[in-house]
Amino acid sequence: MGTNTNTNAEYGADQIQILEGLEAVRKRPGMYIGSTSSRGLHHLVYEIVDNSVDEALAGYCDTIEVTILEGDCIRVTDNGRGIPVGINHKSGKPAVEVVFTILHAGGKFGGGGYKVSGGLHGVGASVVNALSDWLEVEIFHEGKVYRQRYERGVSVYPLEMIGECSPGKSGTQVTFCPDGTIFEETVFDYSVLKQRIREMAFLTKGIKICLEDRRDGKEREDVFHYEGGIKEFVCYLNHSKDPLYGDVIYCEGEKDGVYVEVAMQHNESFNDSTYSFVNNITTPEGGTHLAGFRNALTKTFNSYAKANKILKEGEAALSGEDIREGLTAIISVKIEEPQFEGQTKQKLGNSEARGAVDSIVSEQLTYFLEQNPSVAKAICEKSLMAQRAREAARKARDLTRRKTALENTSLPGKLADCSDKDPKNCEIFIVEGDSAGGSAKTARSRATQAILPLRGKILNVEKARLDKIYGNAEIKAMITAFGTGIHEDFDIEKLRYHKIIIMTDADVDGAHISTLMLTFMYRFMPDLIRKGFVYLAKPPLYKVERNKKVWYAYDDIELEQILKEIGRDGNNKIQRYKGLGEMDPEQLWETTMDPETRVLERVIFNEEDASEIDLTFNTLMGDKVEPRREFIEMNAKYVQNLDV
């Protein structure tokens, strides 16, 4: 585990430092765990698991068990050293009690207990305790078992020895039940925990993390154990892609106190899927470690291409973007005192990380390319093709760039624009097919609602290079209508509508078209989704008529409720809508377009889930059939309203 094994500093009761009290946590939980929504709820689990992972990084723990118990309580058990039970002399309390009752207390501060540590804010156990209805900790240490219980952050009884265990057994077990008066919901989602725990296991090679759900009717279990660490992470992410070469390229080393691990492999797709981590925490906005990696990659491949005459004299150098086409890469650094930039703490700022990653990757990648000329040639040739496609795309792009205000003719001819020019008031409906487009144009509020009908299914961008994308009429119409440009030209300030509403039929074809559009936006205009400008319209599935009164139902449950209320007999006329085209303009307005009565679903994505979202899009829209079949089989049980 590089520099992170068996730190010499003593990990005893006095290595636990006290910085401040707990009072504020229950008053302002969002400051400590981000939110009190489902996301904050799951964050409690990660904080406790992170403590166990820190023991693994220090070389003292190799197995962690995470269990969801009946009643949505969580138990996390590890076989580390066990939190110290001796008295902490600054507080006069056992160290374990200090860890669970005083904010910013732990072996992570002052460099004594741990060399490096994860945990988003280092708040760990005390915050979880403060936000739990109750929490119990058991420690196995030198043949004895100790226990203490807390309720809403306050200890119920002093730390006590409750029994004995085998002398060789050590570790910590934390069981807690989140406080229902603080969290908006207290039901744990197994799949959310599974995704983050799998990621933790990839990032800490050799560790075994078991996840088990013991809730009645939800029983399931997964074990994550990756001896290959981030090399296996790359294989997992490339599962639904065709790798360009067999081996995952792996670089590892330490420089200036920064332990660096990088794994990468190109595939036949056209997207750059690079993910960076610091002390096992994802850094969605990158930072110095990512900059060092990109610099090393560009420099090393250009040097190799020139030295081996793949790039001829006078030819333009390959850009970083060309080299990263179809790349899947994981950059993981471990650093003693990470500094994060920005409000969201999602970008690494340590300058030494840039030099360390650059130096280690440059040296080891150069050696790899010299040892594997066929792999080097394949990557360089793919990069050259990307360079040509980018040049062709640049020429095509000039046609899609929105002209100045004087040249409004550049807007697509089929766009029925709205008269209001303030983007905050404006929305655009992307409508499948001309017939639904015609109804939508008649139904709309002309002042604020624009309609862009698209003919048939747009290009699947997951399987196309940039030049093809710019050449596609339907995509070109969308880019021009939105006004923002795409890729490096993207400018959110130029967005012409603050609601982009995808409106398709409520059937399998409609779902496919929505997915194609979302794939395009996710790959080329991700900020539209990030900033909450993209929505899905939700047309009703049923129209119920009885004695000249009309009700609309958006799913089977709602239909059942309506029929229950109005009675089930021969007077009910039920119509199942197959498509938007079956509605007249009045019905379309009333059910799907009127801001007063419609249902819209906002499309959002969590930055922490980026690798999993990427994998899902590639599984659904990529070339390989087998991973898609597996995905459908695994998720079929969750599908509702499937049209056969």
Side-chain angles (χ1 to χ4, degrees):
M1 200 67 61
T3 59
N4 308 315
T5 348
N6 295 352
T7 167
N8 294 324
E10 186 197 340
Y11 181 61
D14 287 323
Q15 266 64 53
I16 304 299
Q17 293 191 7
I18 302 166
L19 302 183
E20 65 178 72
L22 256 195
E23 306 80 38
V25 181
R26 287 181 62 83
K27 283 183 188 159
R28 303 167 91 176
M31 278 181 64
Y32 297 90
I33 52 161
S35 77
T36 53
S37 64
S38 170
R39 190 172 169 188
L41 176 76
H42 290 80
H43 191 86
L44 297 181
V45 185
Y46 312 148
E47 283 288 356
I48 299 295
V49 176
D50 276 332
N51 290 341
S52 298
V53 170
D54 289 338
E55 276 288 277
L57 291 175
Y60 297 106
C61 160
D62 62 11
T63 304
I64 302 169
E65 291 170 11
V66 183
T67 311
I68 311 173
L69 303 168
E70 203 62 75
D72 284 276
C73 298
I74 295 286
R75 174 172 293 152
V76 178
T77 310
D78 69 45
N79 65 346
R81 291 169 290 179
I83 301 172
V85 292
I87 297 295
N88 172 276
H89 295 295
K90 284 183 190 162
S91 66
K93 295 177 179 179
V96 61
E97 188 172 341
V98 172
V99 165
F100 279 96
T101 59
I102 296 176
L103 190 64
H104 293 308
K108 301 177 182 188
F109 300 96
Y114 290 118
K115 198 74 164 175
V116 301
S117 66
L120 189 56
H121 306 292
V123 292
S126 57
V127 165
V128 177
N129 193 13
L131 300 178
S132 292
D133 203 30
W134 58 266
L135 180 147
E136 270 188 14
V137 57
E138 286 189 18
I139 293 148
F140 308 93
H141 185 65
E142 293 181 346
K144 295 183 173 60
V145 184
Y146 299 84
R147 183 170 67 194
Q148 191 166 26
R149 182 182 171 94
Y150 312 87
E151 287 176 6
R152 299 192 173 179
V154 179
S155 61
V156 178
Y157 50 75
L159 181 72
E160 58 183 15
M161 194 187 87
I162 59 163
E164 296 189 348
C165 60
S166 63
K169 182 173 181 176
S170 67
T172 305
Q173 179 171 286
V174 178
T175 310
F176 67 92
C177 207
D179 189 339
T181 65
I182 283 176
F183 290 96
E184 293 155 31
E185 55 179 290
T186 52
V187 177
F188 285 99
D189 183 332
Y190 185 90
S191 61
V192 170
L193 291 176
K194 178 181 173 181
Q195 182 182 314
R196 174 76 180 116
I197 284 167
R198 181 198 282 123
E199 198 171 81
M200 286 176 174
F202 277 131
L203 291 163
T204 315
K205 62 183 167 194
I207 196 170
K208 182 163 134 190
I209 311 184
C210 311
L211 174 63
E212 185 185 356
D213 195 338
R214 289 193 191 160
R215 292 172 296 184
D216 192 29
K218 295 182 176 179
E219 293 87 351
R220 57 191 288 201
E221 191 174 357
D222 285 282
V223 176
F224 303 105
H225 184 217
Y226 306 107
E227 287 296 343
I230 61 170
K231 285 169 77 171
E232 289 193 53
F233 199 170
V234 168
C235 294
Y236 169 75
L237 293 173
N238 271 346
H239 173 58
S240 52
K241 303 169 188 174
D242 289 310
L244 195 62
Y245 42 88
D247 291 336
V248 173
I249 301 170
Y250 180 71
C251 309
E252 178 188 21
E254 191 210 339
K255 188 172 192 266
D256 300 330
V258 183
Y259 171 64
V260 177
E261 268 192 292
V262 170
M264 58 180 158
Q265 184 185 42
H266 287 78
N267 56 68
E268 299 284 3
S269 83
F270 309 112
N271 304 307
D272 168 10
S273 305
T274 301
Y275 303 100
S276 58
F277 299 85
V278 179
N279 298 356
N280 288 2
I281 312 293
T282 180
T283 41
E285 292 171 26
T288 48
H289 53 334
L290 180 62
F293 168 72
R294 287 184 166 172
N295 190 52
L297 206 63
T298 308
K299 188 174 60 183
T300 306
F301 274 103
N302 272 300
S303 298
Y304 183 88
K306 280 174 189 156
N308 290 275
K309 307 284 185 289
I310 296 168
L311 268 181
K312 306 287 184 288
E313 197 66 46
E315 275 188 326
L318 297 165
S319 73
E321 221 171 336
D322 298 330
I323 296 161
R324 294 194 305 272
E325 184 189 90
L327 177 70
T328 298
I330 303 291
I331 299 122
S332 175
V333 301
K334 306 285 194 320
I335 194 164
E336 197 165 321
E337 293 198 13
Q339 289 142 24
F340 294 99
E341 290 178 359
Q343 276 298 107
T344 51
K345 303 276 185 278
Q346 295 184 326
K347 187 175 186 180
L348 183 68
N350 300 58
S351 57
E352 67 272 27
R354 180 182 179 130
V357 178
D358 192 338
S359 161
I360 287 161
V361 173
S362 296
E363 185 186 325
Q364 296 183 21
L365 182 59
T366 300
Y367 182 71
F368 177 88
L369 297 180
E370 284 166 2
Q371 298 289 308
N372 298 272
S374 61
V375 173
K377 190 175 177 220
I379 298 169
C380 289
E381 283 175 355
K382 182 172 170 66
S383 305
L384 280 167
M385 283 173 74
Q387 187 186 56
R388 287 180 208 119
R390 207 170 297 286
E391 194 45 52
R394 200 164 282 123
K395 288 170 185 165
R397 183 173 61 204
D398 294 337
L399 303 173
T400 66
R401 279 188 172 140
R402 187 155 181 248
K403 307 276 199 306
T404 63
L406 296 171
E407 299 173 275
N408 276 333
T409 50
S410 65
L411 288 172
K414 52 187 164 180
L415 171 72
D417 210 357
C418 49
S419 53
D420 195 319
K421 293 298 171 219
D422 183 350
K424 287 190 189 72
N425 306 330
C426 298
E427 47 190 48
I428 183 169
F429 287 85
I430 314 288
V431 188
E432 147 207 7
D434 285 340
S435 62
S439 278
K441 283 178 186 177
T442 309
R444 74 189 173 122
S445 162
R446 287 169 183 269
T448 57
Q449 293 182 325
I451 310 293
L452 181 65
L454 299 179
R455 284 191 185 87
K457 293 180 179 173
I458 71 162
L459 181 73
N460 180 358
V461 300
E462 205 70 13
K463 297 182 183 180
R465 258 207 179 94
L466 210 53
D467 50 341
K468 284 262 179 19
I469 290 159
Y470 275 115
N472 181 268
E474 305 303 307
I475 284 181
K476 218 188 299 187
M478 275 200 288
I479 297 169
T480 315
F482 297 169
T484 56
I486 65 170
H487 242 8
E488 66 264 35
D489 283 345
F490 183 84
D491 182 356
I492 201 85
E493 296 300 315
K494 292 180 180 169
L495 182 62
R496 301 179 66 244
Y497 313 94
H498 277 200
K499 277 195 176 76
I500 295 167
I501 302 165
I502 299 170
M503 187 159 78
T504 61
D505 292 345
D507 62 7
V508 173
D509 260 359
H512 186 207
I513 291 164
S514 297
T515 310
L516 285 164
M517 288 187 201
L518 288 174
T519 307
F520 164 65
M521 289 177 193
Y522 174 69
R523 291 295 185 205
F524 293 94
M525 304 170 154
D527 271 6
L528 290 183
I529 300 174
R530 232 178 240 125
K531 297 190 187 304
F533 292 128
V534 181
Y535 297 80
L536 296 174
K538 212 163 179 282
L541 281 178
Y542 301 100
K543 176 188 177 187
V544 182
E545 264 186 278
R546 182 188 175 97
N547 304 334
K548 295 191 179 171
K549 276 192 174 175
V550 175
W551 293 264
Y552 294 103
Y554 290 84
D555 56 35
D556 289 332
I557 296 165
E558 210 173 335
L559 176 66
E560 281 300 305
Q561 284 171 342
I562 291 166
L563 294 176
K564 212 173 182 178
E565 280 170 32
I566 65 174
R568 303 166 189 267
D569 54 40
N571 294 326
N572 296 335
K573 204 167 107 191
I574 302 171
Q575 181 185 352
R576 165 76 157 91
Y577 287 120
K578 283 290 181 190
L580 299 167
E582 290 182 25
M583 294 184 204
D584 59 37
E586 289 76 19
Q587 289 173 334
L588 189 58
W589 167 254
E590 189 185 337
T591 63
T592 316
M593 296 179 71
D594 180 358
E596 297 296 315
T597 56
R598 71 190 180 191
V599 177
L600 289 183
E601 291 180 331
R602 179 182 262 165
V603 180
I604 54 171
F605 71 77
N606 181 352
E607 293 285 5
E608 290 171 13
D609 300 338
S611 65
E612 210 64 25
I613 294 167
D614 200 70
L615 183 65
T616 303
F617 270 116
N618 206 270
T619 301
L620 293 175
M621 309 308 285
D623 277 321
K624 280 183 136 181
V625 175
E626 189 57 28
R628 187 154 45 245
R629 188 178 66 77
E630 287 169 15
F631 180 90
I632 291 166
E633 284 174 355
M634 206 188 312
N635 292 281
K637 56 180 174 284
Y638 306 119
V639 173
Q640 296 175 332
N641 303 321
L642 182 67
D643 291 316
V644 181

